[in-house]
Amino acid sequence: MKILKYLFLLLLLSLVALTVFVATQKGNFSVERSKVINSPRATVYNYINDFRNYEDFESWAIEDSTIKMTFPNKTTGNGASFYWDGTEGKGNAITLKAIEGESIQQKMKYDGSEADVNWTLKDTLAGKTKVTWKSSGTMSFLFKVYAALNGGSDKVIGTIYEKSLANIDKNLDFETKTFTIKVNGIVKKTETAYIKQTFTSEIAKINKNARIVIPKLIEFSQNNGLSTNGKPFIIYHTYNTATGLAKISICLPTNKEIMTTSGSDILGGTLNGFEAVKTTLTGDYTHLNEAMAKTTAFINNEKIIPELSWSHLEILAVSKLDVKSPSKLVTEIYYPIKPKVVPVVKEVPAYNPAAASTTPKPAAETPKTTPKPTTEEEQSEF
């Protein structure tokens, strides 16, 4: 019994000593890790900027099957957020400021611990991206205990960051390389009523703008009793690769054409039916240029005459609003063309000798003669 008593006292003293030790440790931490990701900067930014992808690359979420993540309607850009809950605790994160393609600032809370999280992205050689992930904040008492028993906060958090960055690289390598392009050929697009917003945009930011505008169009249609009649699409009135600018209309097809009030930034319209060469891209938007090049090659090889009054049309059959995986995006591209003029050929009846021999010939016409005036007065004009 004395031995058990001594063991208990020893355990109690050890616990007190650990508590005192942890209590005297600094509650602040700062951890930073970097990795070169084998994907373009725009692709990496879009992937990290969407909280829906965190359940696929955050190592702590992958390794703990009890964690359940909840995503609100807004998961990208300023004000985006998500929540998680598991047997080891719950927390949330919010994006405070996102600078397109450059950096993301977030605030994360987890069972009493708080952290300011910063992502920065830089271009490297061969189209790769250097991602730096840094967090600094304060640890709860339990997290200090856990960190003290596992080598310190830098090791604990740093290991999570290293594994997660490796997951980002692996996931994006698959997502960006998994794509297909199919030139479907000549099709006819039927007339479509729509609501739209029209403006000039940087080509590189068109898909970002679409993710902002389309929800506004959907809300407008719901508030005005309109029914959607298909997937959102983008009309490219102009497409200038030299300046990097395009005049576009981001559209939502509706069941009827409407007239909006003066001053509204959302307008109604109708896309007339037209003939086009259709190409389907399944995969990340970074392959759009390749899809457009294949379409142009098809038009040239088939000696098709393009309609040059406007550039082209993109239907977002499966967009970022529908799925989080770039490899599952589906974009239909339509290049307008001039319809072929089919010459009208009159049918010539087949010659039938038998019918010709029994058909009576028409009587010869008597040539018409003009009577000759007989007097000079009769030849004069008024």
Side-chain angles (χ1 to χ4, degrees), residues 189-194 233-235 237 251 257 269-274 310 313 315:
K189 284 294 295 168
T190 57
E191 182 176 277
T192 306
Y194 60 81
F233 59 89
I234 304 173
I235 300 172
H237 305 285
C251 309
E257 184 178 357
T270 297
L271 177 66
N272 295 327
F274 64 97
W310 56 291
L313 173 79
I315 296 181

Side-chain angles (χ1 to χ4, degrees), residues 284-302:
D284 189 55
Y285 296 132
T286 54
H287 304 291
L288 277 171
N289 287 340
E290 185 178 345
M292 293 165 69
K294 287 191 175 183
T295 310
T296 303
F298 177 86
I299 290 172
N300 293 334
N301 292 338
E302 298 296 322

Side-chain angles (χ1 to χ4, degrees), residues 193-196 220-221 224-226 254-261 266-270:
Y194 60 81
I195 53 176
K196 67 175 181 178
F220 180 90
S221 67
N224 290 275
L226 295 173
T254 55
N255 59 330
K256 60 183 178 181
E257 184 178 357
I258 65 164
M259 298 292 292
T260 56
T261 58
I266 295 179
L267 303 174
T270 297

Side-chain angles (χ1 to χ4, degrees), residues 214 230-234 278-282 285 314-323 328-334:
I214 292 172
K231 290 293 187 177
F233 59 89
I234 304 173
K278 174 185 176 182
T279 296
T280 303
L281 166 65
T282 302
Y285 296 132
E314 289 178 5
I315 296 181
L316 308 178
V318 180
S319 71
K320 282 283 190 180
L321 298 174
D322 303 313
V323 298
K328 295 179 181 178
L329 298 171
V330 179
T331 308
E332 297 174 353
I333 307 168
Y334 295 82

